[in-house]
Amino acid sequence: MFLYVALFIPSTPLFSPAVFGENYYILPVLIGLIITVSGQLIRGATIGLAYIIRGGKEGKVYAEDLVTSGIFNHCRNPLYVGNILMLCGVGVLSNSLLYVAVFIPFFLFVYQAIVLAEENFLRSKFSVKYDQYAATVNRWVPSLNGLSATFHSMQFKWKRWVLKEYNTQYIWLSGITLILLFRYPELTHYDAGLRNTLLAIILPLLGFAYLFVRYLKKSGKMKE
């Protein structure tokens, strides 16, 4: 959450009218959306095809199984790659040099430390099996080789994606909405009334969708 709040800290812009002209805003909006949506697509594909339960449990690294199918057959940490792209994308979208130059490198450092700790745990738990996996699959850079075959050989579980990602989706889409409407008054032709109307429509709709999916999950009416 802190990394999303940091998007709105005043900063020198990455793209300015002085350098890129009066239509400067097209660049951060277009580039930022492409990057952040790519990250969300990677997360979605990963969760929908072969979800992995890994993280912290009682203050220690934890993993139930060594998952090597789905997107994990192309990258050892696709969820983290998705997170990184999502945050880099919204950083560019917010047109914040501070965020891209300071917060993103810090975020990358933290993730690298987390991944190294997880790898040590997985190597100690799964031994040769993990070493063989790590020798053929990249840690960070996804391989596109055989990606089409992966999608054709597995069924995408959209309900699992919805149930696992609805909270992330709500925060992400709300953040994008706020960035677009407050950072770029050009998009609403400098009409504060139009901006406020859009906010009054979009944010409640996102909130309703969030609460609806949460209800379905908690009540058991939607299951994986």
Side-chain angles (χ1 to χ4, degrees):
M1 181 61 74
F2 169 73
L3 286 172
Y4 277 95
V5 174
L7 290 166
F8 298 93
I9 297 175
S11 166
T12 300
L14 286 168
F15 303 90
S16 67
V19 177
F20 295 95
E22 61 178 350
N23 293 323
Y24 77 97
Y25 61 93
I26 295 175
L27 289 172
V29 170
L30 185 61
I31 296 172
L33 286 177
I34 289 173
I35 296 173
T36 193
V37 170
S38 296
Q40 185 53 245
L41 290 176
I42 290 174
R43 281 189 60 88
T46 302
I47 294 170
L49 293 179
Y51 185 63
I52 185 172
I53 301 176
R54 186 193 302 174
K57 187 175 183 181
E58 297 178 353
K60 299 179 181 179
V61 179
Y62 170 77
E64 289 186 352
D65 300 295
L66 180 62
V67 179
T68 60
S69 58
I71 305 302
F72 291 97
N73 189 42
H74 302 271
C75 177
R76 302 206 302 267
N77 301 284
L79 290 174
Y80 292 161
V81 171
N83 289 347
I84 290 168
L85 288 175
M86 285 174 66
L87 287 173
C88 284
V90 292
V92 174
L93 183 64
S94 69
N95 201 19
S96 172
L97 178 62
L98 173 67
Y99 194 87
V100 172
V102 176
F103 288 100
I104 290 300
F106 173 74
F107 179 65
L108 293 175
F109 171 79
V110 171
Y111 255 159
Q112 178 71 2
I114 292 173
V115 165
L116 291 177
E118 288 185 351
E119 288 185 351
N120 287 334
F121 169 81
L122 293 171
R123 187 167 283 108
S124 66
K125 182 172 183 176
F126 300 106
S127 190
V128 176
K129 186 178 180 181
Y130 180 77
D131 287 334
Q132 293 174 339
Y133 171 62
T136 57
V137 179
N138 295 333
R139 175 187 288 158
W140 290 114
V141 182
S143 171
L144 301 180
N145 186 34
L147 188 61
S148 177
T150 295
F151 277 100
H152 283 92
S153 66
M154 302 182 72
Q155 180 181 5
F156 182 83
K157 297 183 178 180
W158 67 269
K159 288 184 179 180
R160 179 167 65 196
W161 172 72
V162 171
L163 294 173
K164 297 292 185 183
E165 283 288 271
Y166 75 96
N167 187 60
T168 299
Q169 287 289 328
Y170 172 68
I171 296 173
W172 179 63
L173 290 173
S174 296
I176 288 176
T177 299
L178 292 172
I179 290 170
L180 289 175
L181 293 179
F182 280 102
R183 290 284 193 189
Y184 303 104
E186 297 91 346
L187 297 176
T188 52
H189 306 289
Y190 298 93
D191 186 338
L194 175 59
R195 180 200 65 197
N196 294 337
T197 298
L198 290 173
L199 285 172
I201 295 173
I202 297 172
L203 293 183
L205 284 176
L206 292 175
F208 173 78
Y210 168 82
L211 292 174
F212 182 64
V213 175
R214 180 179 174 83
Y215 162 74
L216 293 177
K217 179 179 180 179
K218 297 298 182 181
S219 65
K221 292 185 178 181
M222 179 184 282
K223 297 180 180 180
E224 296 182 29

